[in-house]
Tab-separated table of all heavy atoms in Angstrom:
chain	number	residue	atom	x	y	z
A	1	LYS	N	19.750	-6.305	-2.092
A	1	LYS	CA	19.688	-5.674	-3.415
A	1	LYS	C	19.856	-4.155	-3.314
A	1	LYS	O	20.285	-3.501	-4.258
A	1	LYS	CB	18.358	-5.991	-4.094
A	1	LYS	CG	18.188	-7.454	-4.462
A	1	LYS	CD	16.811	-7.688	-5.090
A	1	LYS	CE	16.604	-9.150	-5.448
A	1	LYS	NZ	15.265	-9.395	-6.031
A	2	LEU	N	19.506	-3.621	-2.132
A	2	LEU	CA	19.532	-2.170	-1.940
A	2	LEU	C	20.829	-1.668	-1.319
A	2	LEU	O	21.268	-0.550	-1.604
A	2	LEU	CB	18.356	-1.749	-1.045
A	2	LEU	CG	16.947	-1.983	-1.595
A	2	LEU	CD1	15.918	-1.709	-0.500
A	2	LEU	CD2	16.697	-1.090	-2.798
A	3	TYR	N	21.439	-2.488	-0.460
A	3	TYR	CA	22.581	-2.021	0.336
A	3	TYR	C	23.783	-2.952	0.201
A	3	TYR	O	23.621	-4.169	0.022
A	3	TYR	CB	22.180	-1.909	1.811
A	3	TYR	CG	20.942	-1.084	2.032
A	3	TYR	CD1	19.784	-1.656	2.565
A	3	TYR	CD2	20.904	0.266	1.693
A	3	TYR	CE1	18.635	-0.899	2.768
A	3	TYR	CE2	19.756	1.019	1.885
A	3	TYR	CZ	18.627	0.430	2.421
A	3	TYR	OH	17.490	1.168	2.604
A	4	PRO	N	24.989	-2.407	0.338
A	4	PRO	CA	26.209	-3.215	0.238
A	4	PRO	C	26.480	-3.975	1.542
A	4	PRO	O	27.400	-3.656	2.296
A	4	PRO	CB	27.293	-2.168	-0.035
A	4	PRO	CG	26.782	-0.937	0.663
A	4	PRO	CD	25.284	-0.966	0.499
A	5	VAL	N	25.669	-4.970	1.808
A	5	VAL	CA	25.736	-5.694	3.070
A	5	VAL	C	25.631	-7.189	2.816
A	5	VAL	O	25.006	-7.624	1.845
A	5	VAL	CB	24.584	-5.224	4.005
A	5	VAL	CG1	23.223	-5.527	3.399
A	5	VAL	CG2	24.684	-5.854	5.383
A	6	LYS	N	26.254	-7.974	3.671
A	6	LYS	CA	26.087	-9.428	3.647
A	6	LYS	C	25.231	-9.813	4.842
A	6	LYS	O	25.463	-9.360	5.961
A	6	LYS	CB	27.427	-10.153	3.715
A	6	LYS	CG	27.277	-11.674	3.690
A	6	LYS	CD	28.598	-12.393	3.578
A	6	LYS	CE	28.384	-13.900	3.510
A	6	LYS	NZ	29.656	-14.647	3.324
A	7	VAL	N	24.228	-10.652	4.614
A	7	VAL	CA	23.313	-11.070	5.677
A	7	VAL	C	23.524	-12.542	5.994
A	7	VAL	O	23.561	-13.388	5.080
A	7	VAL	CB	21.839	-10.838	5.260
A	7	VAL	CG1	20.895	-11.417	6.302
A	7	VAL	CG2	21.570	-9.350	5.072
A	8	LEU	N	23.679	-12.829	7.278
A	8	LEU	CA	23.736	-14.209	7.756
A	8	LEU	C	22.361	-14.549	8.324
A	8	LEU	O	21.972	-14.029	9.372
A	8	LEU	CB	24.810	-14.363	8.841
A	8	LEU	CG	26.230	-13.908	8.474
A	8	LEU	CD1	27.174	-14.131	9.652
A	8	LEU	CD2	26.741	-14.637	7.235
A	9	LEU	N	21.604	-15.362	7.629
A	9	LEU	CA	20.285	-15.771	8.094
A	9	LEU	C	20.440	-16.982	9.006
A	9	LEU	O	20.898	-18.047	8.577
A	9	LEU	CB	19.384	-16.116	6.909
A	9	LEU	CG	18.750	-14.942	6.162
A	9	LEU	CD1	18.043	-15.437	4.906
A	9	LEU	CD2	17.766	-14.188	7.055
A	10	VAL	N	20.059	-16.802	10.264
A	10	VAL	CA	20.274	-17.847	11.263
A	10	VAL	C	18.960	-18.564	11.554
A	10	VAL	O	17.968	-17.932	11.934
A	10	VAL	CB	20.837	-17.244	12.566
A	10	VAL	CG1	21.247	-18.367	13.521
A	10	VAL	CG2	22.023	-16.337	12.279
A	11	GLY	N	18.954	-19.867	11.358
A	11	GLY	CA	17.736	-20.627	11.620
A	11	GLY	C	17.844	-22.049	11.125
A	11	GLY	O	18.940	-22.524	10.780
A	12	GLN	N	16.729	-22.740	11.100
A	12	GLN	CA	16.702	-24.130	10.655
A	12	GLN	C	16.997	-24.170	9.157
A	12	GLN	O	16.197	-23.712	8.339
A	12	GLN	CB	15.357	-24.748	11.007
A	12	GLN	CG	15.163	-24.822	12.523
A	12	GLN	CD	13.737	-25.133	12.937
A	12	GLN	OE1	12.836	-25.165	12.099
A	12	GLN	NE2	13.535	-25.364	14.227
A	13	GLU	N	18.147	-24.700	8.820
A	13	GLU	CA	18.732	-24.556	7.486
A	13	GLU	C	17.804	-24.962	6.349
A	13	GLU	O	17.631	-24.214	5.379
A	13	GLU	CB	20.031	-25.367	7.410
A	13	GLU	CG	20.820	-25.126	6.149
A	13	GLU	CD	22.193	-25.778	6.192
A	13	GLU	OE1	22.449	-26.552	7.136
A	13	GLU	OE2	22.995	-25.521	5.275
A	14	ALA	N	17.184	-26.115	6.446
A	14	ALA	CA	16.336	-26.605	5.358
A	14	ALA	C	15.147	-25.674	5.120
A	14	ALA	O	14.788	-25.374	3.968
A	14	ALA	CB	15.842	-28.020	5.674
A	15	ILE	N	14.545	-25.188	6.198
A	15	ILE	CA	13.380	-24.299	6.091
A	15	ILE	C	13.778	-22.954	5.491
A	15	ILE	O	13.111	-22.422	4.601
A	15	ILE	CB	12.729	-24.108	7.474
A	15	ILE	CG1	12.168	-25.442	7.978
A	15	ILE	CG2	11.626	-23.052	7.419
A	15	ILE	CD1	11.636	-25.383	9.401
A	16	VAL	N	14.888	-22.401	5.983
A	16	VAL	CA	15.341	-21.085	5.507
A	16	VAL	C	15.744	-21.141	4.032
A	16	VAL	O	15.392	-20.260	3.240
A	16	VAL	CB	16.504	-20.565	6.368
A	16	VAL	CG1	17.021	-19.230	5.826
A	16	VAL	CG2	16.072	-20.393	7.815
A	17	LYS	N	16.452	-22.187	3.651
A	17	LYS	CA	16.885	-22.313	2.256
A	17	LYS	C	15.694	-22.490	1.316
A	17	LYS	O	15.707	-21.991	0.185
A	17	LYS	CB	17.861	-23.475	2.116
A	17	LYS	CG	19.264	-23.153	2.630
A	17	LYS	CD	20.246	-24.262	2.326
A	17	LYS	CE	21.666	-23.838	2.699
A	17	LYS	NZ	22.664	-24.900	2.414
A	18	LYS	N	14.669	-23.182	1.799
A	18	LYS	CA	13.462	-23.340	0.980
A	18	LYS	C	12.801	-21.992	0.722
A	18	LYS	O	12.359	-21.704	-0.394
A	18	LYS	CB	12.484	-24.284	1.685
A	18	LYS	CG	11.225	-24.570	0.876
A	18	LYS	CD	10.294	-25.517	1.604
A	18	LYS	CE	9.030	-25.758	0.786
A	18	LYS	NZ	8.085	-26.667	1.482
A	19	GLU	N	12.744	-21.146	1.755
A	19	GLU	CA	12.183	-19.803	1.599
A	19	GLU	C	13.038	-18.963	0.661
A	19	GLU	O	12.534	-18.236	-0.187
A	19	GLU	CB	12.059	-19.110	2.958
A	19	GLU	CG	11.026	-19.702	3.897
A	19	GLU	CD	9.600	-19.470	3.421
A	19	GLU	OE1	9.382	-18.576	2.572
A	19	GLU	OE2	8.715	-20.205	3.877
A	20	LEU	N	14.349	-19.074	0.790
A	20	LEU	CA	15.272	-18.289	-0.031
A	20	LEU	C	15.173	-18.647	-1.515
A	20	LEU	O	15.428	-17.796	-2.376
A	20	LEU	CB	16.715	-18.527	0.441
A	20	LEU	CG	17.321	-17.523	1.424
A	20	LEU	CD1	18.710	-17.973	1.818
A	20	LEU	CD2	17.347	-16.118	0.848
A	21	SER	N	14.815	-19.873	-1.802
A	21	SER	CA	14.764	-20.326	-3.190
A	21	SER	C	13.742	-19.556	-4.026
A	21	SER	O	13.779	-19.593	-5.258
A	21	SER	CB	14.447	-21.824	-3.245
A	21	SER	OG	13.135	-22.085	-2.755
A	22	ALA	N	12.851	-18.844	-3.363
A	22	ALA	CA	11.824	-18.072	-4.072
A	22	ALA	C	12.349	-16.726	-4.576
A	22	ALA	O	11.644	-16.029	-5.315
A	22	ALA	CB	10.619	-17.851	-3.165
A	23	TYR	N	13.577	-16.368	-4.190
A	23	TYR	CA	14.087	-15.033	-4.518
A	23	TYR	C	15.361	-15.093	-5.352
A	23	TYR	O	16.138	-16.054	-5.271
A	23	TYR	CB	14.364	-14.248	-3.231
A	23	TYR	CG	13.140	-14.151	-2.344
A	23	TYR	CD1	12.991	-14.991	-1.252
A	23	TYR	CD2	12.121	-13.254	-2.634
A	23	TYR	CE1	11.856	-14.932	-0.445
A	23	TYR	CE2	10.988	-13.184	-1.844
A	23	TYR	CZ	10.861	-14.031	-0.753
A	23	TYR	OH	9.739	-13.969	0.028
A	24	THR	N	15.573	-14.039	-6.123
A	24	THR	CA	16.800	-13.890	-6.899
A	24	THR	C	17.683	-12.855	-6.214
A	24	THR	O	17.228	-11.749	-5.915
A	24	THR	CB	16.482	-13.421	-8.336
A	24	THR	OG1	15.605	-14.370	-8.948
A	24	THR	CG2	17.754	-13.301	-9.150
A	25	TYR	N	18.909	-13.203	-5.951
A	25	TYR	CA	19.830	-12.298	-5.250
A	25	TYR	C	21.264	-12.746	-5.521
A	25	TYR	O	21.503	-13.873	-5.990
A	25	TYR	CB	19.547	-12.303	-3.744
A	25	TYR	CG	19.657	-13.674	-3.112
A	25	TYR	CD1	20.857	-14.120	-2.564
A	25	TYR	CD2	18.574	-14.553	-3.114
A	25	TYR	CE1	20.977	-15.386	-2.017
A	25	TYR	CE2	18.672	-15.821	-2.568
A	25	TYR	CZ	19.883	-16.228	-2.020
A	25	TYR	OH	19.997	-17.493	-1.497
A	26	ASP	N	22.206	-11.894	-5.240
A	26	ASP	CA	23.622	-12.229	-5.339
A	26	ASP	C	23.929	-13.309	-4.300
A	26	ASP	O	23.765	-13.086	-3.105
A	26	ASP	CB	24.457	-10.966	-5.083
A	26	ASP	CG	25.951	-11.230	-5.149
A	26	ASP	OD1	26.350	-12.400	-5.288
A	26	ASP	OD2	26.728	-10.261	-5.047
A	27	GLU	N	24.364	-14.460	-4.750
A	27	GLU	CA	24.567	-15.593	-3.838
A	27	GLU	C	25.606	-15.307	-2.753
A	27	GLU	O	25.570	-15.907	-1.686
A	27	GLU	CB	24.956	-16.842	-4.626
A	27	GLU	CG	23.806	-17.389	-5.465
A	27	GLU	CD	24.136	-18.724	-6.108
A	27	GLU	OE1	25.243	-19.240	-5.854
A	27	GLU	OE2	23.291	-19.234	-6.868
A	28	ASP	N	26.513	-14.390	-3.034
A	28	ASP	CA	27.531	-14.043	-2.028
A	28	ASP	C	26.986	-13.120	-0.941
A	28	ASP	O	27.654	-12.873	0.059
A	28	ASP	CB	28.722	-13.357	-2.707
A	28	ASP	CG	29.474	-14.313	-3.615
A	28	ASP	OD1	29.469	-15.525	-3.339
A	28	ASP	OD2	30.068	-13.837	-4.612
A	29	SER	N	25.765	-12.608	-1.145
A	29	SER	CA	25.227	-11.616	-0.216
A	29	SER	C	24.436	-12.218	0.952
A	29	SER	O	24.175	-11.539	1.932
A	29	SER	CB	24.324	-10.626	-0.966
A	29	SER	OG	23.193	-11.297	-1.497
A	30	ILE	N	24.048	-13.478	0.830
A	30	ILE	CA	23.291	-14.134	1.903
A	30	ILE	C	23.882	-15.509	2.184
A	30	ILE	O	24.138	-16.291	1.264
A	30	ILE	CB	21.795	-14.281	1.547
A	30	ILE	CG1	21.138	-12.915	1.380
A	30	ILE	CG2	21.060	-15.077	2.633
A	30	ILE	CD1	19.661	-12.973	1.019
A	31	GLU	N	24.071	-15.797	3.462
A	31	GLU	CA	24.547	-17.109	3.901
A	31	GLU	C	23.612	-17.623	4.993
A	31	GLU	O	23.184	-16.857	5.857
A	31	GLU	CB	25.974	-16.994	4.444
A	31	GLU	CG	26.560	-18.303	4.939
A	31	GLU	CD	27.960	-18.130	5.515
A	31	GLU	OE1	28.636	-17.140	5.142
A	31	GLU	OE2	28.363	-18.958	6.349
A	32	VAL	N	23.289	-18.882	4.933
A	32	VAL	CA	22.428	-19.490	5.951
A	32	VAL	C	23.294	-20.171	7.002
A	32	VAL	O	24.176	-20.978	6.675
A	32	VAL	CB	21.453	-20.512	5.330
A	32	VAL	CG1	20.594	-21.156	6.417
A	32	VAL	CG2	20.557	-19.834	4.294
A	33	VAL	N	23.049	-19.822	8.264
A	33	VAL	CA	23.766	-20.429	9.390
A	33	VAL	C	22.764	-21.276	10.162
A	33	VAL	O	21.748	-20.772	10.639
A	33	VAL	CB	24.380	-19.351	10.311
A	33	VAL	CG1	25.100	-20.010	11.490
A	33	VAL	CG2	25.339	-18.464	9.526
A	34	ASN	N	23.035	-22.555	10.284
A	34	ASN	CA	22.070	-23.462	10.897
A	34	ASN	C	21.949	-23.278	12.407
A	34	ASN	O	22.937	-23.094	13.119
A	34	ASN	CB	22.453	-24.916	10.602
A	34	ASN	CG	21.394	-25.887	11.098
A	34	ASN	OD1	20.234	-25.796	10.697
A	34	ASN	ND2	21.773	-26.802	11.972
A	35	ALA	N	20.727	-23.318	12.884
A	35	ALA	CA	20.410	-23.310	14.321
A	35	ALA	C	19.115	-24.097	14.476
A	35	ALA	O	18.085	-23.714	13.929
A	35	ALA	CB	20.241	-21.883	14.833
A	36	ASP	N	19.166	-25.205	15.192
A	36	ASP	CA	18.046	-26.143	15.239
A	36	ASP	C	16.886	-25.702	16.122
A	36	ASP	O	15.742	-26.085	15.894
A	36	ASP	CB	18.526	-27.524	15.718
A	36	ASP	CG	19.524	-28.146	14.746
A	36	ASP	OD1	19.328	-27.954	13.531
A	36	ASP	OD2	20.493	-28.780	15.195
A	37	GLU	N	17.177	-24.872	17.140
A	37	GLU	CA	16.150	-24.541	18.126
A	37	GLU	C	15.603	-23.126	17.922
A	37	GLU	O	16.239	-22.283	17.287
A	37	GLU	CB	16.724	-24.666	19.541
A	37	GLU	CG	17.187	-26.077	19.888
A	37	GLU	CD	17.866	-26.138	21.246
A	37	GLU	OE1	18.843	-25.402	21.446
A	37	GLU	OE2	17.405	-26.921	22.100
A	38	VAL	N	14.419	-22.888	18.510
A	38	VAL	CA	13.777	-21.573	18.450
A	38	VAL	C	13.296	-21.199	19.847
A	38	VAL	O	12.680	-22.027	20.537
A	38	VAL	CB	12.572	-21.568	17.486
A	38	VAL	CG1	11.922	-20.184	17.465
A	38	VAL	CG2	13.000	-21.966	16.080
A	39	ILE	N	13.576	-19.981	20.284
A	39	ILE	CA	13.078	-19.481	21.568
A	39	ILE	C	11.732	-18.813	21.336
A	39	ILE	O	11.629	-17.887	20.530
A	39	ILE	CB	14.065	-18.484	22.209
A	39	ILE	CG1	15.362	-19.203	22.604
A	39	ILE	CG2	13.443	-17.812	23.438
A	39	ILE	CD1	16.434	-18.282	23.159
A	40	SER	N	10.707	-19.280	22.038
A	40	SER	CA	9.372	-18.699	21.873
A	40	SER	C	9.155	-17.572	22.878
A	40	SER	O	9.865	-17.483	23.891
A	40	SER	CB	8.291	-19.768	22.064
A	40	SER	OG	8.198	-20.150	23.422
A	41	THR	N	8.158	-16.749	22.619
A	41	THR	CA	7.859	-15.622	23.514
A	41	THR	C	7.245	-16.083	24.829
A	41	THR	O	7.212	-15.319	25.783
A	41	THR	CB	6.903	-14.632	22.824
A	41	THR	OG1	5.740	-15.332	22.368
A	41	THR	CG2	7.580	-13.960	21.633
A	42	GLU	N	6.759	-17.326	24.886
A	42	GLU	CA	6.135	-17.830	26.110
A	42	GLU	C	7.161	-18.314	27.127
A	42	GLU	O	6.849	-18.485	28.305
A	42	GLU	CB	5.179	-18.991	25.791
A	42	GLU	CG	3.908	-18.599	25.047
A	42	GLU	CD	4.153	-18.355	23.570
A	42	GLU	OE1	5.122	-18.922	23.026
A	42	GLU	OE2	3.385	-17.584	22.963
A	43	GLU	N	8.395	-18.526	26.696
A	43	GLU	CA	9.414	-19.073	27.581
A	43	GLU	C	9.994	-18.010	28.508
A	43	GLU	O	10.066	-16.830	28.159
A	43	GLU	CB	10.536	-19.700	26.756
A	43	GLU	CG	10.101	-20.902	25.933
A	43	GLU	CD	11.233	-21.472	25.106
A	43	GLU	OE1	12.061	-22.205	25.674
A	43	GLU	OE2	11.293	-21.178	23.909
């Protein structure tokens, strides 16, 4: 909303999209890219 940028949110698609549904934004400004795994700090 503040800057002329497109953000690719990378993560578990269903979870990320659920979080995104709480916000209003230009739909062309954010895209979700699926990634099933997560690297933890303990690894």
Side-chain angles (χ1 to χ4, degrees):
K1 293 178 181 179
L2 296 171
Y3 307 116
V5 62
K6 180 173 182 177
V7 174
L8 305 180
L9 281 172
V10 188
Q12 295 167 353
E13 189 171 9
I15 295 174
V16 177
K17 284 187 173 180
K18 183 179 179 181
E19 292 291 342
L20 264 177
S21 66
Y23 304 100
T24 302
Y25 58 92
D26 179 355
E27 290 187 3
D28 293 331
S29 64
I30 297 180
E31 180 182 337
V32 179
V33 179
N34 186 58
D36 296 323
E37 298 175 304
V38 179
I39 293 176
S40 71
T41 54
E42 290 77 25
E43 295 179 79

